[in-house]
Amino acid sequence: MPVRPGRRRPYPRPVPDAAFADPRLAPLYDPLDPDRSDLDHYATLVDELGARTVLDVGCGTGTFACLLASRGLDVVGVDPARASLDVARGKPCADAVTWIEGDATTLPPLAVDLATMTGNVAQVFVTDEAWAATLAGVARAVRPGGHLVLETRVPERRAWLEWDRAHTHDVTELDGVGRVETWTEVTEVRDDVVSFRSTYVLGPAHEVLTSDSTLRFRSLAQVTASLGAAGLDVVDVREAPDRPGREHVVVARRRPDRAAS
Ligand SMILES: C[S@@+](CC[C@H](N)C(=O)[O-])C[C@H]1O[C@@H](n2cnc3c(N)ncnc32)[C@H](O)[C@@H]1O
């Protein structure tokens, strides 16, 4: 998909977590979480909606973008984390995808059938300002009548209660790295904003790296209202089949006139 230069960013440049932006950690994202059966549901939705052109917002290491490109779709993947895009660019499918280092607010002109946010990308936008600007950018990039599909954790399930060392500690052997020990610990919960630290102990030298993250747990009503304000009407809310009861998978359609409600 040919892309032309993008717009000026209306809010401060996003600073992605080290887990995605640190060149030592981004290559570990796929091997530490190799089961991407969560993406099957999205691939099915792409078919259901008849999309042929897709913008994957927060594409990370590009697994979903590559999956769609390998099926012949025209795909743009955008992410602010250069190290993750470098991983994506090294994948066999990479030449079939247009990769953009940036975010939804600075995209070049597009008119895609579908925008996607897999892997709970919707939760990284903590402030109302960043979320509204992102949705406005998505609405501009989707053609009238096109769709946005996103997932966001069900706040009532309070997933963060299990983000502690006892529940998350893991040890994985990775080629070229050796033993990788990981765990996650919540550092702060303030209303619907949860901060946590992921720790990685790498290889025989036991190098310790950390990544600090903050996620917003919006209610379905908040998500629906914010989408509506951007001219994206919720037409369906589903479950994530691999995480029943834990995720809202929201399908929104861009209003033809892009009028805000
Ligand atoms: C949990 S990862 C999900 C990646 C990918 N969608 C997947 O399913 O594997 C969250 C991604 O959001 C990206 N991200 C952070 N801030 C962003 C922003 N302002 N706009 C777009 N993506 C952003 C991160 O760099 C990271 O790649």
Side-chain angles (χ1 to χ4, degrees), residues 11 14 16 20 29 36 39 57-60 79-81 103 118-119 121 124-125:
Y11 73 104
F20 315 118
Y29 181 83
R36 294 311 307 263
L39 299 177
V57 178
C59 64
D79 201 289
D103 60 68
T118 67
V121 168
V124 308
F125 306 97

Side-chain angles (χ1 to χ4, degrees), residues 20-100:
F20 315 118
D22 185 323
R24 295 166 296 179
L25 291 178
L28 306 183
Y29 181 83
D30 291 332
L32 286 178
D33 190 10
D35 177 7
R36 294 311 307 263
S37 50
D38 59 304
L39 299 177
D40 296 348
H41 179 56
Y42 292 94
T44 304
L45 266 165
V46 169
D47 291 343
E48 255 182 58
L49 295 169
R52 299 301 307 161
T53 52
V54 176
L55 167 68
D56 191 26
V57 178
C59 64
T61 57
T63 305
F64 190 54
C66 284
L67 174 73
L68 298 182
S70 70
R71 296 179 176 195
L73 277 79
D74 208 352
V75 187
V76 175
V78 62
D79 201 289
R82 181 178 301 171
S84 289
L85 288 178
D86 286 345
V87 174
R89 289 190 177 106
K91 292 186 173 176
C93 69
D95 289 349
V97 176
T98 301
W99 306 105
I100 298 178

Side-chain angles (χ1 to χ4, degrees), residues 115-129:
T116 53
M117 291 188 195
T118 67
N120 289 299
V121 168
Q123 292 190 249
V124 308
F125 306 97
V126 174
T127 65
D128 291 338
E129 182 194 24

Side-chain angles (χ1 to χ4, degrees), residues 29-234:
Y29 181 83
D30 291 332
L32 286 178
D33 190 10
D35 177 7
R36 294 311 307 263
S37 50
D38 59 304
L39 299 177
D40 296 348
H41 179 56
Y42 292 94
T44 304
L45 266 165
V46 169
D47 291 343
E48 255 182 58
L49 295 169
R52 299 301 307 161
T53 52
V54 176
L55 167 68
D56 191 26
V57 178
C59 64
T61 57
T63 305
F64 190 54
C66 284
L67 174 73
L68 298 182
S70 70
R71 296 179 176 195
L73 277 79
D74 208 352
V75 187
V76 175
V78 62
D79 201 289
R82 181 178 301 171
S84 289
L85 288 178
D86 286 345
V87 174
R89 289 190 177 106
K91 292 186 173 176
C93 69
D95 289 349
V97 176
T98 301
W99 306 105
I100 298 178
E101 184 181 331
D103 60 68
T105 69
T106 55
L107 290 168
L110 294 170
V112 296
D113 297 327
L114 173 67
T116 53
M117 291 188 195
T118 67
N120 289 299
V121 168
Q123 292 190 249
V124 308
F125 306 97
V126 174
T127 65
D128 291 338
E129 182 194 24
W131 181 229
T134 298
L135 292 180
V138 167
R140 279 192 299 273
V142 172
R143 68 166 169 76
H147 293 85
L148 164 67
V149 176
L150 63 83
E151 67 176 23
T152 187
R153 292 181 185 84
V154 175
E156 293 79 8
R157 291 296 296 255
R158 299 197 291 170
W160 62 88
L161 293 179
E162 294 189 348
W163 295 351
D164 56 31
R165 204 165 162 149
H167 286 92
T168 62
H169 182 264
D170 208 357
V171 176
T172 315
E173 281 292 330
L174 295 184
D175 289 348
V177 184
R179 184 180 190 273
V180 178
E181 190 182 355
T182 53
W183 66 89
T184 298
E185 285 167 314
V186 170
T187 51
E188 185 178 43
V189 180
R190 188 174 291 190
D191 300 324
D192 59 356
V193 177
V194 178
S195 299
F196 56 99
R197 170 167 288 188
S198 304
T199 300
Y200 305 75
V201 185
L202 303 182
H206 299 283
E207 184 184 11
V208 179
L209 300 178
T210 57
S211 176
D212 291 316
S213 306
T214 300
L215 297 178
R216 178 98 178 253
F217 286 70
R218 292 183 177 83
S219 67
L220 184 57
Q222 286 174 316
V223 172
T224 302
S226 53
L227 286 165
L232 296 157
D233 296 318
V234 173

